[in-house]
Amino acid sequence: MDPTMLREYENKLAAWLAQGYQLLADDVDGELRLTVHFVSRDGAVGSEREQEFWPMTAEIVELLNDNGITISRALAGPRPWAGPHPEDL
């Protein structure tokens, strides 16, 4: 991955985490869908939510893993086999 693009993703992720946003990452047919969610604390009204698609590259996967964000495979696409994903065994 281009180092400049990777830095952009790193900066965006760092900004979200610094602001207290929660992130969910889903593998959607080989692409990452990040759901960024913020809910006000202490009973205050307001929440924000946005979704972005990021490329599924080794650098992005490592970046998410290093920041404690697990990638869900529940939406990874049709499974041509019965039972759990082979990588989960």
Side-chain angles (χ1 to χ4, degrees):
M1 170 174 261
D2 176 51
T4 303
M5 288 184 66
L6 181 58
R7 269 192 302 278
E8 289 178 21
Y9 288 117
E10 289 173 338
N11 292 338
K12 187 177 280 195
L13 179 62
W16 284 331
L17 294 174
Q19 294 175 54
Y21 284 68
Q22 296 178 353
L23 278 81
L24 304 171
D26 293 293
D27 174 350
V28 180
D29 297 328
E31 190 174 28
L32 289 170
R33 181 182 69 190
L34 268 64
T35 303
V36 184
H37 187 73
F38 178 79
V39 176
S40 300
R41 293 183 186 10
D42 301 327
V45 176
S47 70
E48 299 175 26
R49 180 176 178 234
E50 67 179 88
Q51 289 185 330
E52 289 190 8
F53 283 89
W54 288 16
M56 177 87 76
T57 65
E59 295 91 349
I60 296 291
V61 170
E62 182 178 356
L63 175 65
L64 294 174
N65 285 334
D66 289 349
N67 284 280
I69 300 165
T70 303
I71 299 170
S72 170
R73 291 190 204 101
L75 302 173
R79 295 180 178 189
W81 58 87
H85 193 283
E87 293 178 8
D88 294 335
L89 299 177

